[in-house]
Amino acid sequence: MAGVLSSSSSHGNAMKSNPNLGHTRSLNDFLPNELISLTFEYLFYDSEEEFELGEPTPIDTLLLVCKRWYNIALTNTLLWSRIEIFVKDVLEIDSWTSYAASRIRRSGSSQLLDVTFETAWNLEFPKDKVAHYAAAEVLLQTLSGPYGETSTRWKSVTVNVTRGFAMADSISKLLSFPTPHLEALSVSGFYDVSGPITLPNPPSLRLLNLTFCRLNRFPNTRAVTHMELATDDITFWDVGAIAEAGLLQSLSLDCWHEYALLPARYPFLRSLHLRGRVGSRSIIDISAPNLEELTLQVDDSEGYSNVIQCPGLDLRRLRYAHIGWPHRIDNASIELYLQP
């Protein structure tokens, strides 16, 4: 009892020394719902969704403050539109499904979604555990909807799985639904699938990132402004789709095999990053008259020369140039390359 009285006395002294302390709750009550909801959105944009499974995210903690904040947070569908899944162990799959279903439900029926599905590099599916495969199928169906109804709300999608991922075929089905609102697509790691993947064909795609994938075809690239491609199998590069991306502002190509881009003009291209092998025909037919940034990471001096001699690149306009990996070129080649 004495401890309680002492605490009450301390609280009274604090109130006397700081009279505004007692008004904190009342000030919060007087703030309009719209202002509180807007503040929550700032938290949404500033916070990273990386978290340990089973722990509340920064957005989830809003529900724990008070009943009013709980109601305001649940009525703002934007707060629940980011779904980020990182599967480290097959035993986590059911929990990730519950998390995804909750986010989708709280995001309403029309809010566009940002979806990320990644797996740990060492994730394994025991061959004798059929239940794990069934659970993973449920998770993937949750992200897209059984008939693709949720995928029609995707705004951005990132799928990053390790080579040999046992559910690669199922994820290829996940990506086969129509995605009319998709603006950003990043896919990595699809090699061990039964056949080439057919990606969605959204009309307003702006960002395309494809890394080590077996693809049947590229999506529609006519509206793409930023493209990043990496492969060690040139047969799965759609050079026609690259040529059609006439609105490109940045292009990154990572390839260690001989390739040749089709003739194309990129009047808006400002940044070009070439990594790997650049042959004599690789970029000879492209034009980027307004290029400002160039990054080269190639293995031999011939690659540098092929870029320098490309008639469609006006290197005098460059504001930034990064020449990487000089240690991988023999001294004689460097001297030859540097001769005026």
Side-chain angles (χ1 to χ4, degrees), residues 119-151:
T119 63
W121 67 271
N122 57 348
L123 179 67
E124 293 184 359
F125 278 74
K127 295 183 179 181
D128 59 336
K129 299 295 183 179
V130 179
H132 294 322
Y133 289 91
E137 288 280 1
V138 173
L139 172 57
L140 297 176
Q141 282 193 9
T142 300
L143 294 176
S144 65
Y147 304 101
E149 58 270 26
T150 304
S151 64

Side-chain angles (χ1 to χ4, degrees), residues 251-254 256 259 271-279 282-283 286 291 293-310 313 315 318 320-329 337:
L251 174 62
S252 175
L253 301 178
D254 185 337
W256 295 94
Y259 64 92
S271 175
L272 178 62
H273 184 163
L274 302 175
R275 183 175 185 266
R277 177 169 176 76
V278 180
S282 293
I283 63 170
I286 72 168
L291 192 67
E293 298 182 6
L294 177 64
T295 299
L296 297 179
Q297 294 175 303
V298 298
D299 255 352
D300 54 56
S301 60
E302 180 184 356
Y304 293 105
S305 298
N306 291 334
V307 175
I308 298 298
Q309 296 172 9
C310 178
L313 302 182
L315 302 184
L318 290 180
Y320 170 86
H322 175 73
I323 309 299
W325 298 347
H327 61 284
R328 300 180 66 164
I329 303 176
Y337 169 69

Side-chain angles (χ1 to χ4, degrees), residues 213-238:
C213 302
R214 297 180 63 210
L215 302 175
N216 188 26
R217 62 172 173 80
F218 280 17
N220 183 352
T221 59
R222 289 183 176 87
V224 171
T225 57
H226 302 277
M227 182 183 294
E228 185 173 345
L229 307 175
T231 187
D232 55 10
D233 189 343
I234 195 61
T235 60
F236 294 103
W237 260 20
D238 188 346

Side-chain angles (χ1 to χ4, degrees), residues 34-54:
E34 295 78 9
L35 181 58
I36 295 178
S37 183
L38 182 61
T39 304
F40 291 171
E41 291 183 13
Y42 278 107
L43 175 64
F44 169 80
Y45 286 118
D46 288 342
S47 65
E48 295 290 338
E49 279 290 284
E50 295 181 3
F51 62 97
E52 291 296 326
L53 188 63

Side-chain angles (χ1 to χ4, degrees), residues 16-270:
K16 290 178 181 179
S17 61
N18 187 2
N20 294 325
L21 192 61
H23 298 294
T24 302
R25 180 179 177 83
S26 60
L27 287 174
N28 180 59
D29 290 340
F30 279 115
L31 290 175
N33 289 353
E34 295 78 9
L35 181 58
I36 295 178
S37 183
L38 182 61
T39 304
F40 291 171
E41 291 183 13
Y42 278 107
L43 175 64
F44 169 80
Y45 286 118
D46 288 342
S47 65
E48 295 290 338
E49 279 290 284
E50 295 181 3
F51 62 97
E52 291 296 326
L53 188 63
E55 296 182 358
T57 68
I59 298 300
D60 289 324
T61 59
L62 298 175
L63 305 178
L64 308 176
V65 176
C66 64
K67 185 66 174 180
R68 186 183 180 208
W69 280 28
Y70 179 92
N71 292 330
I72 294 174
L74 286 185
T75 57
N76 189 334
T77 57
L78 173 67
L79 303 180
W80 313 103
S81 63
R82 184 189 296 154
I83 303 169
E84 298 195 352
I85 295 173
F86 182 63
V87 182
K88 299 178 182 178
D89 190 287
V90 292
L91 298 178
E92 301 175 346
I93 293 177
D94 287 337
S95 297
W96 281 119
T97 301
S98 299
Y99 156 82
S102 174
R103 285 297 174 99
I104 293 171
R105 183 177 63 254
R106 290 173 177 177
S107 66
S109 59
S110 59
Q111 176 68 52
L112 299 184
L113 304 173
D114 297 305
V115 177
T116 297
F117 180 89
E118 297 184 278
T119 63
W121 67 271
N122 57 348
L123 179 67
E124 293 184 359
F125 278 74
K127 295 183 179 181
D128 59 336
K129 299 295 183 179
V130 179
H132 294 322
Y133 289 91
E137 288 280 1
V138 173
L139 172 57
L140 297 176
Q141 282 193 9
T142 300
L143 294 176
S144 65
Y147 304 101
E149 58 270 26
T150 304
S151 64
T152 60
R153 296 165 50 198
W154 290 348
K155 181 181 179 182
S156 70
V157 171
T158 298
V159 178
N160 183 7
V161 296
T162 55
R163 295 190 185 188
F165 179 56
M167 300 296 295
D169 283 320
S170 297
I171 294 186
S172 67
K173 296 177 184 177
L174 169 76
L175 296 173
S176 65
F177 292 111
T179 54
H181 301 290
L182 192 64
E183 297 180 4
L185 176 63
S186 179
V187 182
S188 175
F190 285 93
Y191 261 73
D192 297 313
V193 292
S194 58
I197 300 170
T198 299
L199 295 177
N201 204 31
S204 56
L205 190 67
R206 299 288 186 271
L207 185 150
L208 179 62
N209 185 334
L210 303 176
T211 305
F212 303 117
C213 302
R214 297 180 63 210
L215 302 175
N216 188 26
R217 62 172 173 80
F218 280 17
N220 183 352
T221 59
R222 289 183 176 87
V224 171
T225 57
H226 302 277
M227 182 183 294
E228 185 173 345
L229 307 175
T231 187
D232 55 10
D233 189 343
I234 195 61
T235 60
F236 294 103
W237 260 20
D238 188 346
V239 291
I242 301 174
E244 291 178 350
L247 299 181
L248 279 179
Q249 298 175 19
S250 68
L251 174 62
S252 175
L253 301 178
D254 185 337
C255 183
W256 295 94
H257 297 273
E258 189 79 27
Y259 64 92
L261 299 184
L262 295 179
R265 178 177 170 82
Y266 303 102
F268 307 104
L269 190 66
R270 299 291 188 270

